[in-house]
Amino acid sequence: MKNIISKILLGSIVAGTGMVYMSCANELDMKPQDWYVPETFWKTKTEFEGNQIALANQFRGFTYQVMFSAGELRSGIFTLSTIDGSGTADADVIQQVVDVSHPQFSNFGGWHGMIANYNEVLYRCENEGVEILDEDTRKGLMAMAYGQRAYCYFQMYKMYGGVPLRTVPDVLLGEYDPEKLYMARATAEETLNFIKDDVKKSIELFNESNYVFKSNKKDYYWSKAASEMLAGEVYLWSAKVATGDHAAGGTSDIQTAKGYFENVIGNYGFALQSDFYSIWTSSHNKEAIFSVCYSSEEDGVYYTSPETNFLWARTTGAAGNNYWSTMDDDGWGKISGKAYRFGRWCEEKDGKLTQRTSKVWDKANFGVMRYLYKNALYYHFDEADSRGDAFYPQYHLTDADRGTKTLMLNKFDPHDYKLAGCFVIKFRPSIIAGSNYYQFKVDVPVYRLADAHLKLAECCNYLDD
């Protein structure tokens, strides 16, 4: 840029003396080497692969904004109140109020934005990629794109049924006419068949390629195992759920789904973790099939929502009175002049859940509480299921301790006690380098091995196996 400016100045000086000089138009048309636009990108294998990292970062934005809101939040396990008096967020979603006046998501949840990028990957691989990439890489990247596109369309299908099926990067190719870009919604059956075709193409291309992207962090990126998990999900859903003109039923789709889940369990070397916590606290563990990265301090992006919205933090309401939660004989509420604090993190030691010495909330800087699980959620856990001990915080003020301290409970009996704060501690916070406050520096599993076992069991139930 400095040379360009110098030549422009030189040209002005020469022109001022009446001398004839050559145009600097060629220099002005030069593009900076790090200025990535379609004309300067997609020129090397490194750029094709770097695009996958960018897509993974973009996908991360859907983890809470859409996936939690369209999934767990609608599962029926939340109350419409909190223990700190703050307002519950997304009450309409929790109550399944979905109609014309309350669509909950606009523009099909924004998934078409991701799909546009996968369409471009496929287009580039079928054009520039033929000359630039070796066949293993080209087919591997296309396999990833087909699988990821199918995943996006499947999320939309579960929310909307039939949707517009856009497969070409129209705008990229110079089409800006809104009338020509308009696309009617496909039927539910057409959409589901399209998804099945896409995931089938993904698996076929993976079979034709030995390409593995970022083998040391492969669960952050789409893989053949992820496509098989998706295929199993799609066929299981197809068999179970009637949508629009798609009729559910028949054992053929169940048998197909069963085969995919058996492949995931038996063919990839995945293994169940020996304890529940390590699933969430160990990056790239043997159970992880496809995960969203939140554990890299290099990225500086951590999974703060919705976790922090389950917790009563120092910024809530009466924080100036130095308490976060109180309980009196009439239930949850403030007790004048008394501050019952909770916040000791519970960890497993010598086979038991015990309190850590430090108080987790001393370095918490979260926002107000927005979500609260129902006590009934606890009843879903078998007595021998260690996940039942993973609810945090569990506490009860005994008569002897009332007004002085709170107790963590290694064995929580929901008949006698309540879940306070009601946060499942599968996502555990830690202090990030250079910070004084806790962050949830943990990856978010989208597919993990236990999920394959669960869905395989569901298939077997349908088949009376």
Side-chain angles (χ1 to χ4, degrees), residues 178-223:
E179 291 187 5
K180 293 181 180 180
L181 288 172
Y182 172 79
M183 180 177 288
R185 291 171 68 162
T187 68
E189 185 71 17
E190 290 169 342
T191 302
L192 186 58
N193 287 335
F194 175 86
I195 295 166
K196 289 178 178 179
D197 287 343
D198 253 17
V199 75
K200 181 182 177 182
K201 289 177 187 175
S202 174
I203 294 171
E204 289 174 348
L205 285 164
F206 274 123
N207 287 336
E208 296 172 9
S209 171
N210 294 315
Y211 181 74
V212 177
F213 185 67
K214 298 286 185 183
S215 58
N216 62 328
K217 299 178 180 179
K218 59 184 179 182
D219 60 305
Y220 287 166
Y221 304 97
W222 200 262
S223 64

Side-chain angles (χ1 to χ4, degrees), residues 30-49:
M30 290 175 62
K31 303 288 193 301
Q33 292 182 358
D34 60 351
W35 183 16
Y36 292 129
V37 294
E39 291 78 16
T40 61
F41 199 68
W42 307 105
K43 301 299 183 185
T44 66
K45 178 180 177 180
T46 300
E47 291 174 354
F48 271 83
E49 293 182 320

Side-chain angles (χ1 to χ4, degrees), residues 23 96 111 143 165 204 254 276 282 292 308 322 367 402 453:
S23 169
Q96 300 284 6
W111 286 109
L165 297 175
E204 289 174 348
I254 292 289
F276 185 60
S282 303
V292 183
T308 57
N322 201 31
R402 188 173 292 280
H453 282 284

